[in-house]
Amino acid sequence: MPDDHTRPSFASAVCYQDPKAALKWLEAAFAFEPFMVITMPNGDLAHSEMRFGDGVVMVGSEWNESTKSPASIGGKTTQTVHVHLTEDIDAHCDRARKAGAVIEMEPADQFYGDRSYRARDPEGHIWTFSQTVKAMTREEWDKAGGTVTTDRL
Amino acid sequence: MTPQPSITGVESVVFYRDPMAALRWLERAFGFETNLLVTDDQGQVAHATMAAGPTTLGVGGEWASPELLGPAALVSPASLEGRGTQFVRIRLADGIDAHCERARAAGARIVQEPEDQFYGDRTYRVLDPEGHVWNFNQPLADVSTGEMEQRSGLTIRTSL
């Protein structure tokens, strides 16, 4: 498969009541970078994509009856996005907090060797950021967490 | 604050009422492969990931926790009359029509049949049994930004 930056192999689409405000906020809070903004003749956003490293997030509107912002359905959300950082997760969290993110879980070391924090954006989407601070084997994290890890169902 | 140089820099986690059934269905319908399954002492899915080509996805059960999530709740579209707040787009290298037929045979509801788009991709859209929306695309041709604008009447920029 050719390396094609404009059409990544995977993208998460995240729906907002006000996607233009979300584009600005996600840049300020999480350092995501806009790279494609498509508008309709009336100026409304048709489609947009933001990059973070080689990850892509699409920011869109509530474009039909079944596509809703958490702000429209009592804070419920059907998917979340996990973002992997290689360094400075605490600084990333501080930046998000300053931009108005609600930090639901402060940065903390997890039993599986990551340091993670969880933030809620202004419309209620949940974002989890993590940085690997200690490489662990499956045996090690199963022992630490009381879980059973396999690679097949 | 350098993002991890990896295709899994951003990953979606998709929530289901019955995550074990979802893992099986996603394997059968879309050809994803479970590559990490963490279960608790009740045998319930604590955390699972699937490989979809070079992509990794998380699959989880519904949960809420005032301590860890505040007022949010992570739920299946099946618990929200089919509504969803996020969805996933996955690129296929080839075989998108066969992929769609495989999904249909597994009971997927195809909400948009495979069709060529103005931006050079062939795409289809599908609902899984709990109502999550999945978009699959296969690039067919490179289309310049100017040509996309001409074909669609849209305006395309790199920022707001």
Side-chain angles (χ1 to χ4, degrees), chain A residues 7 12-13 37 54 82 86, chain B residues 2 6 11-13 87 91 157:
Chain A
R7 296 197 203 112
S12 300
V37 177
D54 57 7
H82 281 214
T86 52
Chain B
T2 317
S6 148
E11 166 183 326
S12 278
V13 185
F87 57 89
R91 182 180 67 187
R157 293 187 297 256

Side-chain angles (χ1 to χ4, degrees), chain A residues 6-17:
Chain A
T6 61
R7 296 197 203 112
S9 60
F10 165 83
S12 300
V14 187
C15 308
Y16 289 94
Q17 291 178 346

Side-chain angles (χ1 to χ4, degrees), chain A residues 78-136:
Chain A
T78 58
Q79 301 186 10
T80 62
V81 179
H82 281 214
V83 181
H84 297 267
L85 308 173
T86 52
E87 58 192 10
D88 291 342
I89 189 167
D90 290 75
H92 193 273
C93 179
D94 286 340
R95 175 182 174 145
R97 195 194 319 268
K98 281 196 188 86
V102 178
I103 309 303
E104 297 291 2
M105 186 184 80
E106 293 289 337
D109 293 350
Q110 308 295 323
F111 73 87
Y112 43 88
D114 280 7
R115 186 169 177 80
S116 306
Y117 82 93
R118 190 174 293 122
R120 185 158 48 89
D121 75 20
E123 293 203 20
H125 285 288
I126 301 291
W127 301 81
T128 306
F129 294 88
S130 64
Q131 176 187 343
T132 301
V133 290
K134 183 183 172 203
M136 289 178 78

Side-chain angles (χ1 to χ4, degrees), chain B residues 76-156:
Chain B
S76 164
S79 300
L80 284 174
E81 295 167 334
R83 290 174 295 189
T85 60
Q86 300 186 10
F87 57 89
V88 171
R89 185 182 72 188
I90 290 176
R91 182 180 67 187
L92 304 171
D94 49 37
I96 190 167
D97 288 76
H99 194 273
C100 178
E101 287 318 310
R102 174 181 176 156
R104 196 194 317 271
R109 194 175 139 218
I110 312 298
V111 289
Q112 181 227 300
E113 294 288 336
E115 88 190 14
D116 295 353
Q117 305 294 336
F118 69 88
Y119 45 89
D121 285 8
R122 187 167 177 81
T123 70
Y124 83 97
R125 185 180 306 126
V126 53
L127 295 182
D128 70 25
E130 294 204 19
H132 284 288
V133 178
W134 299 81
N135 276 273
F136 292 94
N137 70 300
Q138 178 185 330
L140 297 178
D142 276 327
V143 180
S144 70
T145 301
E147 205 176 335
M148 283 187 210
E149 289 184 321
Q150 207 170 25
R151 289 182 187 178
S152 65
L154 298 167
T155 303
I156 304 176

